[in-house]
Amino acid sequence: RQGPAFSIVLKGDYQEIASSLMPPELEPALLKTLSVIAVNQPLTQSKLVDLRGSTAYEHVKGLVEKGYIRKRRDGNTFVLRTTKTFATRFRVEDDPEKIREAMIQLERRVAEMATMTADAAAEALVEQLQGESLAEAPAEFPPDSSSE
């Protein structure tokens, strides 16, 4: 336990499996830029810079490297869109309208949770996570060789 958060330590053999089950952590500023792109796509890079400031150039570079967005030249700027990798990692359909709907639902849920007590919010989050599909999760993990 680390303060109010928990930390799980995995054997090296299991880290790749665990990593494939959850999105990698993104810095809050990068995540905010990604959400602006996701909600407003297709979005020109120049409009993104207007909305997020000049740091958006570095954010775009990082998000392209991680495979979450793609960019296509359009005159003097680029048009930005999310990728299938984004859709897979964040468990949304690879459709801009569906992504917008999912973001609106998430925003509503966050607003609801902000008015709850910490215990009620945690309970609601656990219920939501238990209801999510685990279709991508492996049926079973390889046996632990250290216990043999």
Side-chain angles (χ1 to χ4, degrees):
R1 185 169 169 97
Q2 298 176 346
F6 287 90
S7 175
I8 298 175
V9 179
L10 299 172
K11 285 184 165 188
D13 297 346
Y14 302 122
Q15 287 179 355
E16 187 175 333
I17 294 169
S19 295
S20 71
L21 297 176
M22 57 189 283
E25 290 185 31
L26 294 174
E27 297 172 18
L30 204 59
L31 190 56
K32 188 168 183 177
T33 297
L34 179 57
S35 67
V36 168
I37 295 166
V39 170
N40 296 292
Q41 65 180 306
L43 180 67
T44 63
Q45 184 167 296
S46 56
K47 179 65 176 173
L48 178 64
V49 170
D50 289 344
L51 295 169
R52 296 285 296 140
S54 63
T55 57
Y57 292 113
E58 283 302 312
H59 294 174
V60 167
K61 181 180 176 187
L63 292 168
V64 168
E65 287 172 359
K66 292 180 185 306
Y68 290 129
I69 66 169
R70 64 182 183 272
K71 63 183 194 176
R72 176 184 50 82
R73 180 161 292 284
D74 185 27
N76 293 331
T77 190
F78 290 94
V79 175
L80 309 172
R81 295 177 187 269
T82 56
T83 62
K84 288 183 181 183
T85 299
F86 167 87
T88 300
R89 287 291 192 187
F90 291 96
R91 297 179 182 172
V92 293
E93 290 185 47
D94 189 22
D95 173 342
E97 191 55 41
K98 298 286 186 184
I99 291 171
R100 272 188 278 283
E101 289 172 17
M103 295 292 283
I104 290 167
Q105 288 176 358
L106 178 61
E107 189 175 81
R108 285 185 189 138
R109 190 70 181 134
V110 168
E112 287 173 12
M113 291 178 79
T115 64
M116 297 178 177
T117 66
D119 288 341
E123 239 177 77
L125 183 58
V126 166
E127 286 176 18
Q128 181 178 346
L129 291 173
Q130 287 174 339
E132 288 185 5
S133 169
L134 297 177
E136 295 180 25
E140 58 185 59
F141 289 99
D144 182 358
S145 60
S146 67
S147 63
E148 294 176 359

